[in-house]
Structures are given as structure tokens and as C-alpha cells.
Amino acid sequence: ETGVTQSPTHLIKTRGQQVTLRCSSQSGHNTVSWYQQALGQGPQFIFQYYREEENGRGNFPPRFSGLQFPNYSSELNVNALELDDSALYLCASSSRTSDNEQFFGPGTRLTVL
Amino acid sequence: QKEVEQNSGPLSVPEGAIASLNCTYSDRGSQSFFWYRQYSGKSPELIMFIYSNGDKEDGRFTAQLNKASQYVSLLIRDSQPSDSATYLCAVRWGNTGKLIFGQGTTLQVKP
């Protein structure tokens, strides 16, 4: 157990809908990164948040957005869902002083129909 | 060319043998390298990371880094059936927190 929690565990949406995924970071960690993992692939970096600001973004369209709150928890929002958005969404927390060690939460499995 | 490449496997080894997992990367400026283990249906779990050329040992695991050849490997000694999982290699991109992952190698340890 890493101490990183995510909700919900599973989610089913239809194309065009919007979704919000949530992540609580490990105690003492102030940085949250979000990844998308399609079946059979490695995780792909979406973006990272540090001190409530986006601190790096991967190759994802603007309909993927996020927030970080003062308690370092974070949300990932995806608008206008597409079938290809079906994946496991992972958040990873880390400490700014040891950003190399990113610890993953259990993930949210999103299915878009 | 993919930025981080791994053989998808499966790599099959008998119990007690040494499993060798390999990874190559394209960015010569990469400084930090990571190995994660992912059981089916679960999230990735950090095994170890390495910065410097050479070997780094942690229990039954040894990470090896060769920056000149742009490859990093993970050796698992005395492999156990519980080691059966997908092993993900990741490279930190520049000075950001972005990790670039390979597609993973599936390891099967047969009793």
C-alpha cells in the first residue's frame, strides 16, 4: 500500500459525457502526476501538479484538465469523452525533494461506451 | 522510434533461475531510470531506480545502467512464481517529473 487513494474504482460513461476522477496523495507528498494506461501498454503521462499549478503536460488534448487543492489532493477532468479514452487512469504522488520516487494509487478504470 | 523500448515477452524462466529484463531508451540526456512491477489488474509498484552507470542491488533485484549504450536492465535472482508480473521500465524526461514508460515485459516464473 502506497497511501495514495483514488476514486472511483470503476466508472462507465457514454461518449460525449464528462468525467471527474479524484486522487489523494500520500502523506508528506506535494506533487501529483496523472497517467493514462491503455490495455497492454505502459502508462502515458498526462500532466503533473505542484503547489496547485500545472507543472508539465504530456501529449493530451485540452479536454483533459486538472486541479490540485491546498491539501495536495487532485482531480482529473475529461470532457467530451471518446471511446479511446477507455483506460486505467493512474495518479502518482511524490515529494518535491524526491521527485524521482513516484508512488501510484490503485487507479480508476474508465469505460466509455 | 519509441522513446523507451522493451520486449513485450512473455519471458519464461524456471523457479530459482535469474530473470533478465532489458530496456533501451532514445534520449541521451536522460538521467534517472526506474523499474516498476505491475500485477494483472493492479497499479505499478516501484521496485527501484538508478542514476549512475553500473549496478545497484536491492535484495534479489539488481538494476544495471549503461548510458553509453542507452540501456538499462533488471536482474531478478532466485525467481519465484510470485515474481510473475509485467515489468515496466521508465525514464525521467529532462528535469521534469514526467516519466516515459516502455510497454512492459511480461515475466512468467514456472514452478
Side-chain angles (χ1 to χ4, degrees), chain B residues 6-27:
Chain B
Q6 298 180 255
N7 187 322
S8 60
L11 172 66
S12 183
V13 300
E15 184 175 355
I18 296 175
S20 178
L21 303 157
N22 301 311
C23 170
T24 59
Y25 60 94
S26 59
D27 182 5

Side-chain angles (χ1 to χ4, degrees), chain B:
Chain B
Q1 181 187 4
K2 290 184 179 178
E3 295 171 283
V4 179
E5 293 205 46
Q6 298 180 255
N7 187 322
S8 60
L11 172 66
S12 183
V13 300
E15 184 175 355
I18 296 175
S20 178
L21 303 157
N22 301 311
C23 170
T24 59
Y25 60 94
S26 59
D27 182 5
R28 284 194 170 273
S30 299
Q31 297 294 322
S32 308
F33 307 86
F34 306 83
W35 284 100
Y36 283 83
R37 177 175 62 195
Q38 187 172 27
Y39 292 110
S40 181
K42 301 294 186 182
S43 62
E45 170 192 6
L46 180 63
I47 299 173
M48 62 192 305
F49 55 87
I50 185 168
Y51 308 137
S52 305
N53 275 327
D55 295 358
K56 179 182 179 182
E57 188 174 317
D58 184 359
R60 296 187 295 113
F61 298 97
T62 299
Q64 299 176 318
L65 175 60
N66 184 323
K67 290 186 178 181
S69 300
Q70 295 175 245
Y71 84 79
V72 58
S73 62
L74 179 71
L75 302 179
I76 306 175
R77 290 181 299 280
D78 188 23
S79 295
Q80 301 297 310
S82 59
D83 294 326
S84 298
T86 296
Y87 289 80
L88 296 162
C89 170
V91 175
R92 185 176 177 184
W93 189 79
N95 290 321
T96 72
K98 175 182 179 180
L99 295 182
I100 301 173
F101 284 84
Q103 70 176 52
T105 298
T106 300
L107 173 66
Q108 297 174 345
V109 181
K110 297 190 174 180

